[in-house]
Amino acid sequence: MHLTHESDAFMTDLAEPLTPSARNASQGDGAPATSKKDWATDQEVRWCPGCGDYSILTAVQMLMPELAAKREDTVFVSGIGCSSRFPYYMNTYGMHSIHGRAPAIATGLAVSRPDLHVWVITGDGDALSIGGNHLLHALRRNVNLTIILFNNQIYGLTKGQYSPTSETGKVTKSTPFGSLDQPYNPVSLALGAEASFVARTHDMDRKHMMETFKAAYEHRGAALVEVYQNCNVFNDGAFEAILSKDARPNMLIPLRHGEAIRFGPQGEHGVVLEDGQAKVVEVAEVGEEALLVHDAHRVDPTLAFALSRLSTGVTSPTPIGVFRAVERPDYGSLVNTQVADARRAKGPGDLAKLLTSGPTWTVG
Amino acid sequence: MTDIKRSAVRVIDVDRAVIRFAGDSGDGMQLTGDRFTNSSALFGNDLSTLPDFPAEIRAPAGTLAGVSAFQVHISDHDILTPGDHPNVLVAMNPAALKANLADLHPSGTVIVNSDSFDERSLHKAGYAANPLVDGSLDGYTVFEVPMTSLTLEAVKPSGTKPRDAERSKNFFALGLISWLYARPQEPTLEWISQRFSKTPMVAEANTLAFKAGWNFGETAELFPNTYEVKPAPLPAGTYTNISGNTALAWGLIAAAQLAGLKLFLGSYPITPASDILHELSKHKNFDVTTVQAEDEIAGIGAAIGAAYGGALGVTTTSGPGVDLKTESIGLAVNLEIPLIIVDIQRGGPSTGLPTKTEQADLLQVIHGRHGEAPVPVVAARTPGDCFYAAIEAVRIAVKYRTPVFLLSDGYLANGAEPWPVPDVASLPKIDPNFATAPNHVDADGNESFWPYLRDSETLARPWAVPGTPGLTHRIGGLEKADGSGSVSYDPANHDLMSRVRVAKIAGISKDVAAAEVDDPSGDATLVVLGWGSTYGAIAAGARRVRQRGLKVAHIHLSHLHPFPANLGDLLRSYERVLVPELNLGQLVKLVRAEYLVDAKPLTKMYGKPFQAEEIETAILEALDQPVEP
């Protein structure tokens, strides 16, 4: 069975607002109320029909009015790849940059313009292969960015080579005898880089996407959201084992801060910590009190990392939701505080004084 | 006091002197040269410097590879180069003597630290016999001074341990040479007390060593005379001694102020450009943001992001970094946003000669991108000119919404000269001219913003920064439709946009100062065409030729792409064109291709600047004149 996207429906219907307060027009600093169509551009969306990217675009376009965001204060920066066409479809400021470099470009923008909300749209090849270094450093520095990583485990735009998240043994055009590479787990990678916010969602659940994107948006600092996204042309069904309607209850482990981690149609499965390792158990066998209570705010990332290792591929029960959300000063604030402190201490720069700050002498 | 003692030795007036301090890379020769330079600057000499050091922080001690040298030329008149041949060579060890002796003037003076001429050090330097005794220095005036032991003795009162005390011997050398050239003591003593204020013992040791060196000169009766180089009659004004990298950093700060923009530097450390990052990092109160990025690509990426946000985006690097930034520069060409890429050239290819100078990136910065991707190129000619070159690069970048290459090199970066401090009020303002309103009405009568609707005169597109209501737009590396800026694969549109981008940059030639020719007689038949840091050597070489009663003209380019509009006519008005470059013939190719002139190259790849006499010789040969001293 192939996954099919309800793309048409996604493109037309409107979601329930996530919170009552988000329902109405002007809020916060008086941003005028917007609707989903205000956030769409006149550009024809050119992803393949049935692509998971459509549902992610819809989720973001529907979320923006709820966030009471201003279009002119919003910037989408992307790299190269199918997902990176995203900025063309958002009626905001945007830059479709070059392969892998979006986190670097977005760093310069976010640091120099703390008044903006900067999103990074990237994919598994863009963020983890050619741009891996930039992603690590944006996370390490905690640049105030909302990073949406579309993970479809394949190179789509170049027509079907394996990616750094493709499973070992994958047969593609560039690996006719099967790939030999060990894949990355993007959540583990982000946690290893000490990201302050790390989450996972998937393209089959708009509500979960919107909740997760909203949490990422509201996080000050670098927020990385991995989105399992189906490429129905080059890697169709990659997530079928966990994302098909029938599979989801038993294969998706929702993480909710402060709640015991359990899943299954009746909540019959759960997660415990055993020898420092997260493990799926039957609640009936271990008892409710043995279950691990999720703590996304825990400063030490060990627990979040253990959860990220629960599934080593997308064929066994896999956690979704917010793995980690901790407070840490964002890089731009630190940088700008240093500038402000220098101006306070030394006064705004006096050019004439600077030019004569070394030893000088006068002739004539 | 001092004057009475001084009367014991004869004072000889000289119009100029070239002194080279050479030692092990751990001996502090750069600092010694730098201090001597500063006190000479304060004394009022004109000067020019040439630091020459190895890439290794501490190459094996005592070896030729580890020799670090600093040459300074001081004079009572205006000079253009650090000098071809030192009059005085200070050699702190045998390796320093061996590595530098060949450059010494035939009647030059050698002052050696005789303590270091033991068998082991001689062997390390590759000397089979001691040059101090085997006659190989015959013809030079040689002074053997036991600097190490004299320093150890002198600094005893400071309580410094012998191992540390020995490190003050460069100040002994500085004191001795300061005495020999009648430099004022105060600036150096003041500097020592400030620089080492947190380590009083070191400050005292260095002070004692400096004074001991000075006193040694005065009392040892070793030196028959001292030299006096009187102040140079420079044009009236306030002067400071400035290096190229400092001038460049200050120029960027000035340009940002002139444009009213926040200065944002994204950079990755690389020799010989890092000092610009260091300098700018000090001046955050000028609304300067510096980000030391994870790599060269991120450095320029961050600068592009900041430029999109309305800052003056700058990235600084050297050749290897330019290689890495190239794809991003192509993006900036397509985005058509202001951006400054500073390339402090060094010897290449690959890691090449990190600490040595070269001009071999010219073709790279003009042509080194895929596609038709024109980028203006501005080059500085002297350390002080780096200030103005930076402002000019920013003016072009902002006015034409384009990345601009600003070229300097290792010689300008680390070299220094007295610099007349400009009147800040006289510097021209730069108008960022941000877009504030929609510029287009669509078919339905709605106002909209077209990011690629151009100014009819400059062909520059509007700079609309995020946060501006009503001007939301998307840009990127894909080809844009003329005007609307939407993605376009239309063949005719690509042809048009390619030509427009090229025409925009070509049009800058009308907006830059015309090339000036230095041709005092007005009827020279040979013109020497140079660019960048060869300015001093070419101008000095031309002067020498003219002193022989011969005629030669000199054109020096600051704008390498596009060339000034009058350059072709100028070159064609001469029978012969000679193009000296520290590469294997790059500008010469460009002018031959552009103007069909039969220009001839003069090339050198030594990692060192041209000497004035090399230029003089080449001019004489080009004029079919005998080359005699």
Side-chain angles (χ1 to χ4, degrees):
Chain A
M1 186 202 93
H2 286 171
L3 298 185
T4 52
H5 282 274
E6 306 133 273
S7 359
D8 285 345
F10 278 18
M11 296 301 285
T12 51
D13 65 356
L14 290 169
E16 288 293 314
L18 291 175
T19 58
S21 68
R23 191 166 301 156
N24 281 326
S26 287
Q27 340 165 354
D29 56 354
T34 57
S35 65
K36 173 176 173 281
K37 70 173 170 42
D38 292 319
W39 295 84
T41 63
D42 59 358
Q43 299 293 299
E44 182 193 357
V45 183
R46 291 192 181 174
W47 289 313
C48 307
C51 176
D53 290 359
Y54 283 98
S55 64
I56 303 173
L57 176 65
T58 302
V60 173
Q61 287 177 340
M62 287 174 60
L63 177 66
M64 299 311 275
E66 291 185 21
L67 298 172
K70 286 187 187 169
R71 291 193 295 119
E72 65 267 23
D73 292 342
T74 305
V75 186
F76 282 85
V77 180
S78 65
I80 292 293
C82 293
S83 59
S84 285
R85 299 295 176 99
F86 197 97
Y88 291 122
Y89 310 137
M90 291 299 299
N91 192 356
T92 62
Y93 284 90
M95 188 193 295
H96 175 216
S97 76
I98 46 178
H99 208 9
R101 315 306 169 199
I105 291 168
T107 293
L109 182 59
V111 168
S112 64
R113 290 292 305 276
D115 55 315
L116 303 173
H117 194 100
V118 183
W119 297 69
V120 169
I121 303 294
T122 184
D124 41 315
D126 192 55
L128 303 175
S129 202
I130 193 166
N133 197 33
H134 306 308
L135 180 71
L136 290 183
H137 289 272
L139 297 175
R140 166 180 78 88
R141 293 193 178 101
N142 203 30
V143 183
N144 193 28
L145 300 171
T146 307
I147 305 168
I148 310 293
L149 194 167
F150 295 29
N151 181 7
N152 58 14
Q153 303 190 345
I154 199 77
Y155 280 84
L157 202 59
T158 50
K159 301 189 172 62
Q161 299 82 10
Y162 75 113
S163 91
T165 56
S166 297
E167 67 277 16
T168 306
K170 188 165 195 68
V171 173
T172 70
K173 281 179 191 157
S174 59
T175 50
F177 305 107
S179 87
L180 303 171
D181 299 27
Q182 167 83 9
Y184 267 138
N185 175 331
V187 169
S188 297
L189 189 84
L191 289 167
E194 300 191 35
S196 57
F197 182 103
V198 185
R200 178 187 287 143
T201 184
H202 67 90
D203 64 0
M204 296 297 288
D205 186 342
R206 187 199 311 143
K207 185 162 173 284
H208 191 267
M209 275 194 284
M210 289 174 69
E211 274 171 17
T212 312
F213 295 159
K214 183 165 192 273
Y217 177 90
E218 287 168 352
H219 177 77
R220 182 96 197 158
L224 179 109
V225 182
E226 178 192 20
V227 187
Y228 285 154
Q229 172 249 321
N230 191 48
C231 171
N232 59 327
V233 173
F234 294 107
N235 202 18
D236 196 22
F239 304 99
E240 192 174 320
I242 61 167
L243 293 187
S244 70
K245 271 223 162 79
D246 298 342
R248 280 185 232 171
N250 283 306
M251 296 299 252
L252 292 183
I253 310 173
L255 300 176
R256 293 187 195 91
H257 175 72
E259 292 182 18
I261 303 172
R262 60 194 298 174
F263 61 106
Q266 268 74 50
E268 61 270 43
H269 317 303
V271 174
V272 296
L273 206 58
E274 205 177 275
D275 296 334
Q277 206 175 331
K279 204 179 150 193
V280 171
V281 293
E282 295 308 307
V283 179
E285 289 173 20
V286 299
E288 277 186 31
E289 46 304 329
L291 294 181
L292 185 61
V293 175
H294 184 46
D295 181 4
H297 303 332
R298 201 176 138 121
V299 174
D300 178 84
T302 313
L303 188 64
F305 192 82
L307 290 171
S308 80
R309 307 311 294 172
L310 253 179
S311 71
T312 50
V314 283
T315 50
S316 59
T318 301
I320 61 168
V322 178
F323 286 72
R324 185 174 200 234
V326 297
E327 278 187 35
R328 178 152 74 88
D330 76 280
Y331 184 64
S333 297
L334 295 172
V335 167
N336 290 306
T337 300
Q338 232 178 30
V339 170
D341 286 350
R343 289 170 81 82
R344 207 172 303 123
K346 295 190 191 172
D350 179 337
L351 190 57
K353 263 194 194 158
L354 174 68
L355 302 187
T356 52
S357 57
T360 62
W361 68 98
T362 306
V363 174
Chain B
M1 304 176 330
T2 314
D3 288 339
I4 297 166
K5 281 187 183 168
R6 287 200 80 102
S7 64
V9 294
R10 198 156 52 96
V11 179
I12 298 179
D13 278 330
V14 288
D15 64 345
R16 63 190 195 91
V18 179
I19 298 145
R20 186 182 294 181
F21 298 92
D24 214 43
S25 40
D27 281 346
M29 289 298 99
Q30 299 304 316
L31 187 147
T32 307
D34 196 50
R35 291 335 302 162
F36 187 85
T37 302
N38 266 286
S39 55
S40 298
L42 290 174
F43 184 70
N45 296 128
D46 196 7
L47 59 87
S48 175
T49 69
L50 175 61
D52 184 16
F53 45 89
E56 294 78 13
I57 303 301
R58 293 280 187 276
T63 62
L64 292 175
V67 173
S68 171
F70 188 106
Q71 182 165 314
V72 53
H73 185 182
I74 56 175
S75 80
D76 68 1
H77 56 280
D78 91 294
I79 49 166
L80 298 156
T81 75
D84 295 353
H85 302 291
N87 304 105
V88 174
L89 170 64
V90 179
M92 300 302 283
N93 67 8
L97 179 67
K98 190 163 193 190
N100 291 285
L101 189 63
D103 293 338
L104 192 62
H105 193 276
S107 65
T109 297
V110 185
I111 301 173
V112 299
N113 174 14
S114 54
D115 286 333
S116 67
F117 280 67
D118 53 42
E119 205 169 317
R120 194 161 159 268
S121 302
L122 289 166
H123 179 73
K124 266 195 196 165
Y127 276 120
N130 188 343
L132 301 181
V133 297
D134 73 354
S136 59
L137 299 181
D138 289 356
Y140 300 111
T141 306
V142 181
F143 297 106
E144 297 179 33
V145 183
M147 296 190 205
T148 308
S149 44
L150 287 171
T151 300
L152 287 176
E153 192 59 32
V155 307
K156 265 186 185 162
S158 70
T160 315
K161 287 183 194 138
R163 203 183 148 71
D164 296 332
E166 199 223 319
R167 295 176 61 194
S168 293
K169 65 181 184 293
N170 59 327
F171 281 94
F172 182 97
L174 179 60
L176 178 58
I177 303 302
S178 296
W179 169 81
L180 189 62
Y181 282 94
R183 304 288 92 184
Q185 290 194 19
E186 294 72 24
T188 303
L189 294 175
E190 246 170 59
W191 181 87
I192 290 173
S193 73
Q194 276 179 18
R195 173 70 178 73
F196 301 102
S197 61
K198 284 181 188 150
T199 46
M201 200 188 274
V202 178
E204 198 193 343
N206 288 338
T207 301
L208 289 168
F210 177 81
K211 286 184 172 168
W214 180 287
N215 294 336
F216 178 82
E218 232 169 41
T219 56
E221 297 184 3
L222 195 61
F223 297 87
N225 46 260
T226 64
Y227 300 94
E228 179 131 5
V229 183
K230 294 210 161 58
L234 298 169
T238 300
Y239 284 76
T240 191
N241 187 41
I242 201 163
S243 73
N245 274 352
T246 303
L248 200 150
W250 290 359
L252 291 171
I253 290 173
Q257 279 211 343
L258 293 168
L261 298 174
K262 177 200 287 278
L263 175 57
F264 183 98
L265 174 72
S267 182
Y268 188 76
I270 185 169
T271 303
S274 301
D275 279 341
I276 303 170
L277 166 63
H278 304 160
E279 182 66 22
L280 288 175
S281 301
K282 285 195 258 177
H283 302 298
K284 294 191 192 299
N285 62 317
F286 283 83
D287 204 6
V288 172
T289 300
T290 57
V291 170
Q292 183 179 314
E294 58 270 24
D295 59 29
E296 294 280 359
I297 298 171
I300 189 172
I304 288 173
Y308 182 59
L312 174 61
V314 178
T315 191
T316 49
T317 191
S318 187
V322 176
D323 296 350
L324 287 165
K325 293 178 197 296
T326 295
E327 187 194 18
S328 304
I329 297 167
L331 174 67
V333 168
N334 231 21
L335 297 180
E336 300 192 43
I337 52 168
L339 181 74
I340 304 295
I341 308 123
V342 178
D343 176 9
I344 312 295
Q345 300 166 95
R346 67 188 217 188
S350 188
T351 310
L353 303 172
T355 60
K356 310 298 178 190
T357 199
E358 204 161 280
Q359 294 184 297
D361 296 355
L362 181 62
L363 292 179
Q364 177 189 32
V365 301
I366 294 178
H367 295 302
R369 289 163 296 282
H370 71 275
E372 295 287 354
V375 174
V377 179
V378 175
R381 59 178 63 180
T382 68
D385 185 50
C386 290
F387 179 84
Y388 298 101
I391 295 175
E392 173 67 353
V394 172
R395 180 189 73 86
I396 293 172
V398 169
K399 182 168 178 181
Y400 292 90
R401 319 304 200 201
T402 176
V404 174
F405 262 109
L406 174 54
L407 290 182
S408 169
D409 58 34
Y411 169 48
L412 295 182
N414 295 313
E417 65 175 352
W419 184 60
V421 178
D423 172 15
V424 168
S426 71
L427 300 171
K429 293 262 182 261
I430 296 168
D431 181 7
N433 192 21
F434 289 120
T436 54
N439 58 1
H440 179 74
V441 178
D442 67 23
D444 303 334
N446 297 320
E447 286 193 323
S448 63
F449 178 67
W450 276 21
Y452 282 78
L453 209 54
R454 295 171 189 280
D455 179 276
S456 57
E457 190 196 334
T458 60
L459 300 180
R461 75 175 193 89
W463 191 7
V465 301
T468 315
L471 306 189
T472 55
H473 63 279
R474 276 68 52 195
I475 56 178
L478 286 170
E479 183 61 284
K480 323 286 181 316
D482 180 34
S484 74
S486 299
V487 173
S488 169
Y489 300 111
D490 177 61
N493 178 73
H494 177 56
D495 185 87
L496 172 74
M497 290 295 274
S498 300
R499 291 174 197 280
V500 168
R501 284 188 289 264
V502 167
K504 178 178 84 166
I505 302 308
I508 297 170
S509 67
K510 304 188 295 275
D511 189 25
V512 301
E516 284 180 31
V517 60
D518 173 32
D519 184 0
S521 68
D523 59 354
T525 56
L526 168 70
V527 63
V528 183
L529 175 70
W531 67 278
S533 69
T534 54
Y535 171 76
I538 295 174
R543 275 187 195 174
R544 292 182 182 198
V545 171
R546 288 171 196 148
Q547 277 165 6
R548 292 167 179 257
L550 300 168
K551 291 167 185 172
V552 63
H554 176 199
I555 300 171
H556 212 78
L557 294 175
S558 297
H559 297 91
L560 279 306
H561 188 76
F563 291 131
N566 67 330
L567 183 62
D569 288 344
L570 260 187
L571 292 178
R572 281 187 286 259
S573 69
Y574 288 89
E575 285 171 28
R576 278 168 289 186
V577 180
L578 176 67
V579 187
E581 296 176 87
L582 297 175
N583 57 44
L584 293 183
Q586 300 197 2
L587 175 63
V588 74
K589 280 193 183 73
L590 296 171
V591 295
R592 289 174 72 96
E594 190 80 11
Y595 304 120
L596 281 174
V597 292
D598 186 17
K600 301 279 197 242
L602 170 64
T603 61
K604 175 176 171 180
M605 295 289 280
Y606 276 56
K608 293 178 182 183
F610 277 114
Q611 295 178 332
E613 76 181 19
E614 290 170 336
I615 302 289
E616 178 189 19
T617 301
I619 294 173
L620 292 174
E621 283 171 358
L623 291 172
D624 302 319
Q625 293 289 325
V627 180
E628 290 159 2

